[in-house]
Amino acid sequence: MTEPALALTLIGLMALGCQWLAWRMRLPAILPLLIVGILAGPVTGWLKPDELLGDLLFPLVSLAVAVILFEGSLTLDFKDLRGHGHIVRRLVTTGVVITGVIGTVAAHYLLDMRWEMAAVLGALLVVTGPTVVMPLLQTLRARGNLTQILRWEGIMIDPVGALLAVLVYEYVALGMTGNAASHTLLLFAQTVGLGLGMGALGGWCWGLVLRHFWLPQKLHNFGTLMVMLGLFAISNTLFHESGLLTVTVMGVWLANMRGVPTQQIIEFKETLTVLLISGLFLLLAGRLTVEQLSLLSWPAWIFLAVLMWVARPLTVWLCTLGSGLTLREKALLAWLSPRGIVAAAVASLFALKLESQGIEGAEMLVPMTFLVIIGTVVVQSLLSRPIVKVLGVGEPPPSGFLILGANSVSRQVARELVDAGFSVRLTDTNWDAVQEARMAGLPVYYGNPLSEHAAQHLELTGIGHLMPLSPYRELNSLAALHFEHILGHGRVFRLAEDNGKNAKRQQDQALGHLPLLFDGKITYAKLASLLSQGAQFRRARITESFSLEDYRKIHEERLLPLFCISSQGRIRIANTAVALEPKAGETLISLIHADSPELNKSSQPRTDKAEAPQADKGAGSKSSQTPPGSGSGPLPASRLPGAGT
C-alpha cells in the first residue's frame, strides 16, 4: 500500500477522472467509480481501505451517508409532489415492503441463505437513489410526470429503505427470538419517534438561526454541517442507527420552512456530496475481495433478474392501481430502479458487524449488493433509451428554450417565443429578476443552472435549445459547455462579447465550435440598449413576392432577424453556423431598431404581413408547458435560490 497521504490524493484524482468520464459519456458516475474501485482493490491489490483508514473507515462511511441523505432531503419541496404524490407515497411505503419480501424469498431459495440473512439482503436492496436515477432521466427525456415520480421516489426511498434495513438488522442481530420481535417493534417506535422529533426540532431551531442571521453568513455552511452531524451522532447514540431519519427530517424541514436562506448551503453540500459519493464508491468497491467475487455464481444472476423483472414490475403495478397512468407509462416505471450509494454503504457496514458476530451468510451481503448495483446501472443505462422509444413515452422532439438570465432582455425574448407557441424556461440567481419573470407568467428556475441541485430539479422537459442571454460572460460560457452534452451539438449557442480582443480570443478558443447567436455581432449590451431605446419585435410572413431582402429594404437595414418558423411549426434560430434563409410560407421574427422609418409610422401593426403560425405540439404551447406553480404572481418570500420551480 502506498503512503496514506499519496494514496488519498490518488483516490481523489481517480474520483475526478471517473466523474469526468461519466459526464462525457452521459452515464451515472457510479459505474466508472465502481469499475475503477474494483480494479484498484481486488484486481490489482493496490487499494486496501481497511489498512488505509483502519477503525475510522466505517465511522467516516456513516457520516458520509448522513451528509448525502441530508443534501438530498434539503432539496425536497413538497410543492413538487402535486399531482403524483400519492404514487410516490405508495412506492416508498407499500412498494418497499413488496420489494423487500420478494427479495427475501428469492435470496433464501436462490442463494441458499438463512431466512434472517435473506431478510437483511432483501431490506438492503429496496432503495434506488437520486445519484443514479437522475443521470439516467436526463438522457431519457421521458414524459414529465414519469420523470417527477422517479426523481422523488429516489430521494424519499433512501431514508425509508435505510430504516427498514436497520430494523431487520436489529432483529437478526438479536437472534430472531420472541424478545427480538418485541425489541424490534420497540426499536421501530423509538427510532421513528426520535428521528421525527429530533429532526423536526433541530430543523426548526436551526432554521430560526439561519433566518434571523444569528450566525454570520460566512459560517452558515460550516454551522449547518456541524449541527447536522451533531444531531446525527446524538441520535445514533440514543437509539442505534436512528440518525439517518433524523438528518432526513431536518433537511425536509429546512427545505419547506419559510424565509430560510438555503442556497449557499445547498451549493456547499452539492460539492461535498460529489466528493463523498466518489470517495465512498472507490473505497467500498476497493474492499471487495476475490473470494467475495467468487461467490457470485449463476444463482446470483438469477436473483438479480428476479429483482429487476419480477419484484419491480409487481411493485409498480400494485402501487399505480387507479393512478390513471397508461400501461406503457407503468412499464417505464417498472424498468427503472437502479441501486445507489446508500445500499452499498449500509451493506458494507452491516456485513462487517454481522461477520464479527459470526452470523452465517453475512459474507454474501457485500458482493450481492454490488452485483445488483452494477447490474441495474449497466443494463438500464444501455437499454433505457431504446425502451423509451419503443414504449412511446418520451417527450416529442424538444424545441423549447432554456434561457440564461431572467433580466429584461431575456424576458422580452422569452415572451416573444411563448406568444409564438414555444415553451421556455428562464434561469437566474437574481431574486428581483426572478420575481419579474414570474409576474410576467414565465416559467423560471431560481438558482445556478450548473449546480447539482439544478441537475435534479431544473425541468428540461420539452427544452431543446440553450440561449445565453445573461450579462455574465463566464456563466454564459460555462453553461454553453455544460448543456452542449445534454442538449446536443447544434442546439447550444453563444453570445458575442465586447470585452476586448483578449476576452474575445479566449472565448473563441474555448467555445469556437459553438455558433454565435443572431448576426454574430450582437452582444448583450447591444440588445439591452436597442430594447431600452424602443426597438420592437415583429413577425413577418415571407411569401413569393415578399422576401427577406424586401423586408430589409423596408426598414433600411435596421432589422435583426432572430427566428424563423416553418409552416409545420418548427423553429430555426439565426446564427453564424447556418444562414437563416426564410422560404415562402414561413414566418420571420425580427427585432426592428427604434429609428427604422417604417417602425416610426403610427399605427404600425405588430405583425408586418400575417400572424405567425402556431408551433406544433412538439414545440409545446404556453398553457401545456407551464408547470404547476410557475404561473403569474410573485414568488413567496420563502422561495430561495436553488429551490427550482
Side-chain angles (χ1 to χ4, degrees):
M1 184 69 188
T2 317
E3 286 293 324
L6 179 59
L8 291 174
T9 302
L10 291 176
I11 290 173
L13 292 175
M14 288 191 299
L16 176 62
C18 292
Q19 290 283 353
W20 175 84
L21 183 62
W23 171 70
R24 291 290 299 181
M25 299 182 66
R26 295 188 183 184
L27 291 173
I30 183 176
L31 188 56
L33 285 168
L34 287 177
I35 293 174
V36 171
I38 291 173
L39 290 175
V43 175
T44 64
W46 172 79
L47 180 59
K48 298 179 180 179
D50 292 276
E51 292 184 10
L52 179 64
L53 297 174
D55 294 336
L56 290 177
L57 176 61
F58 282 98
L60 290 176
V61 170
S62 298
L63 293 175
V65 172
V67 173
I68 292 168
L69 287 182
F70 178 71
E71 191 273 331
S73 62
L74 197 61
T75 63
L76 182 56
D77 189 341
F78 290 133
K79 297 184 182 69
D80 293 328
L81 292 176
R82 291 174 181 171
H84 46 257
H86 64 288
I87 299 177
V88 175
R89 285 191 293 271
R90 291 178 189 174
L91 287 172
V92 301
T93 53
T94 306
V96 163
V97 175
I98 296 170
T99 304
V101 170
I102 294 177
T104 298
V105 174
H108 175 71
Y109 287 106
L110 291 174
L111 304 178
D112 198 25
M113 297 178 71
R114 295 170 56 188
W115 279 111
E116 57 267 32
M117 290 309 305
V120 173
L121 182 60
L124 284 171
L125 296 177
V126 301
V127 297
T128 55
T131 57
V132 287
V133 171
M134 289 312 300
L136 285 176
L137 294 179
Q138 286 180 353
T139 62
L140 293 184
R141 294 193 178 279
R143 291 175 186 170
N145 61 331
L146 303 179
T147 299
Q148 291 291 339
I149 291 171
L150 289 166
R151 177 162 65 92
W152 288 108
E153 179 199 9
I155 292 175
M156 296 178 68
I157 204 171
D158 273 354
V160 174
L163 176 59
L164 175 64
V166 168
L167 293 175
V168 175
Y169 162 77
E170 285 291 329
Y171 185 58
V172 171
L174 290 174
M176 298 182 64
T177 63
N179 290 335
S182 59
H183 173 81
T184 301
L185 291 176
L186 178 62
L187 178 68
F188 174 76
Q190 292 173 333
T191 301
V192 172
L194 182 69
L196 292 175
M198 286 193 66
L201 181 62
W204 178 70
C205 292
W206 190 245
L208 291 178
V209 172
L210 297 177
R211 185 165 64 187
H212 295 290
F213 290 90
W214 292 337
L215 193 72
Q217 189 169 7
K218 67 179 181 179
L219 296 179
H220 280 195
N221 293 340
F222 176 66
T224 301
L225 176 64
M226 297 315 300
V227 168
M228 181 273 295
L229 292 178
L231 286 175
F232 173 76
I234 294 172
S235 184
N236 270 353
T237 301
L238 294 176
F239 292 106
H240 185 59
E241 300 298 342
S242 64
L244 293 180
L245 182 60
T246 297
V247 298
T248 301
V249 172
M250 178 184 176
V252 172
W253 191 282
L254 288 175
N256 292 274
M257 186 174 177
R258 291 186 178 183
V260 179
T262 57
Q263 182 191 9
Q264 290 184 345
I265 298 171
I266 290 173
E267 292 179 352
F268 170 69
K269 291 291 189 300
E270 288 167 356
T271 302
L272 186 60
T273 298
V274 171
L275 173 63
L276 293 176
I277 289 175
S278 303
L280 277 181
F281 271 122
L282 287 174
L283 290 172
L284 295 178
R287 289 191 74 250
L288 290 170
T289 64
V290 176
E291 291 76 16
Q292 287 177 321
L293 295 177
S294 66
L295 296 174
L296 301 178
S297 56
W298 64 266
W301 295 95
I302 297 179
F303 175 80
L304 172 62
V306 169
L307 283 183
M308 293 179 61
W309 298 321
V310 176
R312 178 64 177 182
L314 182 60
T315 296
V316 169
W317 177 66
L318 292 175
C319 293
T320 55
L321 289 175
S323 64
L325 294 178
T326 67
L327 183 60
R328 294 187 175 192
E329 289 174 331
K330 293 178 181 180
L332 181 65
L333 294 180
W335 169 252
L336 278 175
S337 59
R339 271 56 174 184
I341 182 63
V342 173
V346 177
S348 300
L349 186 63
F350 286 177
L352 183 68
K353 293 180 178 180
L354 292 172
E355 286 177 16
S356 66
Q357 297 177 26
I359 296 180
E360 183 183 351
E363 69 280 357
M364 288 289 293
L365 290 181
V366 172
M368 281 305 308
T369 301
F370 276 89
L371 173 65
V372 172
I373 292 174
I374 296 174
T376 54
V377 171
V378 170
V379 173
Q380 294 173 16
S381 296
L382 294 177
L383 299 181
S384 291
R385 273 187 174 181
I387 286 177
V388 167
K389 194 171 183 180
V390 170
L391 292 175
V393 294
E395 288 291 327
S399 55
F401 291 81
L402 177 64
I403 300 177
L404 293 185
N407 50 71
S408 176
V409 173
S410 301
R411 294 196 300 270
Q412 293 183 66
V413 174
R415 172 51 57 194
E416 191 65 25
L417 289 167
V418 169
D419 290 344
F422 293 89
S423 62
V424 301
R425 185 165 294 276
L426 289 74
T427 172
D428 209 317
T429 57
N430 184 291
W431 174 253
D432 294 330
V434 167
Q435 284 185 310
E436 291 290 335
R438 292 294 299 274
M439 293 184 70
L442 297 170
V444 61
Y445 170 83
Y446 185 19
N448 181 359
L450 306 180
S451 66
E452 191 69 22
H453 181 275
Q456 297 185 16
H457 297 83
L458 175 56
E459 182 59 60
L460 295 178
T461 302
I463 299 298
H465 308 91
L466 173 75
M467 285 202 303
L469 298 180
S470 161
Y472 306 109
R473 177 171 58 87
E474 293 82 3
L475 176 62
N476 288 342
S477 300
L478 290 173
L481 290 173
H482 175 77
F483 284 99
E484 184 185 16
H485 292 278
I486 298 175
L487 301 178
H489 182 69
R491 292 178 169 269
V492 174
F493 304 90
R494 58 191 176 112
L495 197 61
E497 298 290 342
D498 55 359
N499 294 337
K501 292 183 178 180
N502 289 335
K504 184 177 181 181
R505 188 182 303 113
Q506 291 175 0
Q507 186 196 44
D508 289 340
Q509 289 176 351
L511 304 171
H513 63 292
L514 297 179
L516 289 164
L517 277 172
F518 310 134
D519 63 356
K521 301 176 183 177
I522 195 77
T523 64
Y524 172 82
K526 182 64 174 176
L527 273 174
S529 176
L530 289 174
L531 290 169
S532 66
Q533 293 172 21
Q536 296 182 14
F537 294 97
R538 291 291 181 83
R539 302 180 202 169
R541 178 84 68 178
I542 304 300
T543 65
E544 295 290 348
S545 59
F546 184 75
S547 66
L548 177 57
E549 294 305 316
D550 296 327
Y551 197 25
R552 290 185 185 277
K553 290 177 182 178
I554 291 177
H555 294 284
E556 297 183 356
E557 301 299 325
R558 295 181 177 90
L559 176 148
L560 177 65
L562 303 177
F563 311 101
C564 184
I565 304 175
S566 71
S567 57
Q568 291 79 30
R570 296 185 177 89
I571 191 168
R572 303 195 305 277
I573 306 170
N575 63 85
T576 55
V578 181
L580 193 66
E581 299 176 348
K583 301 175 183 178
E586 296 186 332
T587 299
L588 182 69
I589 300 179
S590 306
L591 187 66
I592 312 298
H593 294 209
D595 57 352
S596 170
E598 189 70 13
L599 187 66
N600 290 330
K601 290 183 179 180
S602 60
S603 70
Q604 173 71 14
R606 175 177 173 80
T607 302
D608 288 293
K609 281 292 179 182
E611 283 299 323
Q614 287 298 310
D616 62 4
K617 293 182 180 179
S621 65
K622 174 184 174 183
S623 60
S624 65
Q625 288 298 324
T626 303
S630 59
S632 61
L635 284 166
S638 61
R639 293 298 288 166
L640 300 164
T645 59

